[in-house]
Amino acid sequence: MENEHYIRELINRLARLDAASAWQGNLNPAQRAVLSYLARANRFSRSPSHVAEYLGSTRGTVSQTFKSLVQKGYVIEQRSQTDKRAIHFDLTDKGARATDEPKLMSQAISKMTKRTTDGLTASLETLLLSLLAENGGRAFGICNQCRHFETRENGGHCTLLSEDLSSIEATKICNEQEPA
Amino acid sequence: MENEHYIRELINRLARLDAASAWQGNLNPAQRAVLSYLARANRFSRSPSHVAEYLGSTRGTVSQTFKSLVQKGYVIEQRSQTDKRAIHFDLTDKGARATDEPKLMSQAISKMTKRTTDGLTASLETLLLSLLAENGGRAFGICNQCRHFETRENGGHCTLLSEDLSSIEATKICNEQEPA
DNA sequence: ACTATTAGTATCGAGTCGAAACTATTGCAA
DNA sequence: TTGCAATAGTTTCGACTCGATACTAATAGT
């Protein structure tokens, strides 16, 4: 069927038009994508490797991107005590502010009916999962929708990492997430 | 509503994962996007300007991309007789072959139900139109769905450009298209 | 105690990208 | 018809992406 290619074209064109409008200020689309991931990821998932896997990129490329984000003050390095190889990056205030800048596409989406956006969300999620299954990628889903998540009084607990989680943290992306 | 950002994220992530798998062979994602547009556009719409507008890019950038596509033999230059400024590019056989190379995302899409893909197509189209309206972009729709199109015996006719169209050509993208 | 694996970085070359300057046409108006 | 503005395309610049590859340092497994 010809339709597969058409959907693919639509997605790529939409992303391209969005990227064109994402050049504002000091940032390019790739840098913005990293910032936006960082804002949504929990503290176990903010390393170069995780970003690279999430974005379908490589550690080398992402390492470069972090270098310029650090230089420009959007992000700060955080070395791990336990594993001296590991690093993760946190958003600075400037970085956090940059993640909610004007987005033409978000406006366009908000003009659609709830019915349409709900359907769109569901079918895009289906597609994403199917694509990830195809190339062995991980879902990077939300922490509290994970099979290793247990609800606690004020937040939750991860049975995989044996770590307590604040209620905010439980709503973020985790690289270890496996759908419940 | 938070959902707008989520849909935007999904589209960008999907496009990013697709781009990562589009590096195969001699081509990068941007070059592939140009090739793929060329394959779907009619003879009035294959110039650097049109490609740039379609992809949300600039003439300068697209000009660079065409330079390397020509060098690598995917595309040939075609100067216009009537307007000596104008150029358009045609796919070579090699270029045409490159447009239907294995695409992970197309496979993933073909695994979805017809019901889902139909809904997805419709909502992505709605979104695209809404986005284009927002930033004054043109639709680049299909020739025979245009208000300037008239059906003829073997093909059609464009009342805007006063040009006859083969039936194949009438199914292609036109930069002048205005929905009927 | 080795050795394999893992995390991250540096470097290379091709190419993207917006911005801006530039060339060659064509269109329009006085 | 001349004279300038608009249009089509190219070139150059600098920052950066990107995959590939080679590298360093730390940790894990045997």
Side-chain angles (χ1 to χ4, degrees):
Chain A
M1 208 219 287
E2 188 49 56
N3 208 246
E4 293 128 38
H5 302 305
Y6 183 50
I7 290 178
R8 186 170 174 250
E9 282 284 335
L10 279 170
I11 290 174
N12 281 324
R13 185 167 171 207
L14 246 6
R16 225 161 234 291
L17 293 172
D18 187 53
S21 77
W23 272 90
Q24 275 162 29
N26 219 349
L27 295 162
N28 66 37
Q31 291 165 350
R32 242 173 235 289
V34 170
L35 252 32
S36 154
Y37 170 81
L38 248 38
R40 307 201 309 128
N42 71 13
R43 68 193 136 109
F44 314 116
S45 313
R46 291 202 287 264
S47 73
S49 314
H50 297 140
V51 176
E53 191 186 347
Y54 182 83
L55 297 179
S57 183
T58 63
R59 294 196 312 269
T61 297
V62 171
S63 196
Q64 290 310 306
T65 301
F66 271 122
K67 205 162 71 175
S68 49
L69 285 175
V70 169
Q71 256 159 13
K72 294 194 275 195
Y74 287 98
V75 120
I76 42 165
E77 194 178 295
Q78 219 73 57
R79 299 210 93 97
S80 163
Q81 261 68 45
T82 54
D83 184 340
K84 283 179 195 153
R85 294 169 303 179
I87 274 190
H88 72 106
F89 291 89
D90 290 342
L91 289 176
T92 60
D93 287 349
K94 184 178 176 186
R97 257 177 281 124
T99 61
D100 44 45
E101 264 164 21
K103 297 135 183 170
L104 240 40
M105 189 189 286
S106 297
Q107 275 174 254
I109 294 170
S110 66
K111 292 215 175 96
M112 296 164 66
T113 65
K114 178 162 170 22
R115 205 183 130 74
T116 310
T117 54
D118 284 351
L120 185 53
T121 305
S123 46
L124 287 176
E125 275 175 344
T126 307
L127 175 53
L128 178 59
L129 254 25
S130 161
L131 182 59
L132 290 170
E134 203 121 13
N135 63 10
R138 282 187 286 177
F140 282 76
I142 303 301
C143 171
N144 63 23
Q145 290 158 23
C146 175
R147 77 158 60 128
H148 303 115
F149 180 81
E150 277 176 6
T151 306
R152 292 282 166 87
E153 281 158 56
N154 46 357
H157 181 82
C158 176
T159 60
L160 180 68
L161 305 173
S162 301
E163 290 267 2
D164 285 328
L165 303 153
S166 73
S167 48
I168 291 177
E169 206 134 39
T171 65
K172 300 214 161 181
I173 290 175
C174 184
N175 73 296
E176 304 281 10
Q177 201 254 18
E178 294 173 68
Chain B
M1 210 219 282
E2 190 48 57
N3 208 247
E4 294 127 37
H5 302 305
Y6 183 49
I7 291 179
R8 185 170 175 250
E9 283 284 335
L10 280 171
I11 290 174
N12 281 325
R13 186 168 171 207
L14 245 8
R16 229 163 230 291
L17 293 173
D18 186 55
S21 76
W23 273 90
Q24 276 163 28
N26 219 348
L27 294 162
N28 69 35
Q31 293 165 346
R32 242 173 235 289
V34 171
L35 253 30
S36 154
Y37 170 81
L38 249 37
R40 308 203 309 129
N42 70 14
R43 69 194 135 110
F44 314 116
S45 313
R46 292 202 286 264
S47 73
S49 314
H50 297 139
V51 175
E53 192 186 348
Y54 182 83
L55 297 178
S57 183
T58 62
R59 295 197 310 270
T61 298
V62 170
S63 196
Q64 291 307 307
T65 302
F66 271 123
K67 205 161 72 175
S68 49
L69 286 175
V70 168
Q71 256 160 13
K72 294 194 273 193
Y74 287 97
V75 119
I76 42 165
E77 194 178 293
Q78 218 74 57
R79 299 210 94 97
S80 164
Q81 260 69 46
T82 54
D83 185 340
K84 282 181 194 152
R85 291 169 305 179
I87 273 191
H88 71 107
F89 290 88
D90 291 341
L91 289 176
T92 59
D93 288 349
K94 184 178 176 185
R97 257 177 281 125
T99 60
D100 43 46
E101 263 164 21
K103 296 136 182 167
L104 239 43
M105 190 189 284
S106 297
Q107 276 174 255
I109 294 170
S110 66
K111 292 215 174 95
M112 296 164 66
T113 64
K114 178 159 168 26
R115 209 183 127 73
T116 310
T117 54
D118 283 352
L120 184 53
T121 305
S123 46
L124 287 175
E125 275 176 344
T126 306
L127 174 52
L128 179 59
L129 254 25
S130 160
L131 181 60
L132 289 171
E134 204 122 13
N135 63 9
R138 283 187 285 175
F140 282 76
I142 303 300
C143 172
N144 62 24
Q145 291 159 21
C146 175
R147 75 158 61 128
H148 302 115
F149 180 81
E150 279 177 4
T151 306
R152 292 283 166 87
E153 281 159 55
N154 46 357
H157 182 82
C158 176
T159 60
L160 180 68
L161 306 172
S162 301
E163 290 267 4
D164 285 329
L165 303 154
S166 73
S167 49
I168 291 177
E169 206 134 40
T171 65
K172 300 213 160 182
I173 290 173
C174 183
N175 73 296
E176 303 281 11
Q177 202 256 18
E178 294 174 67

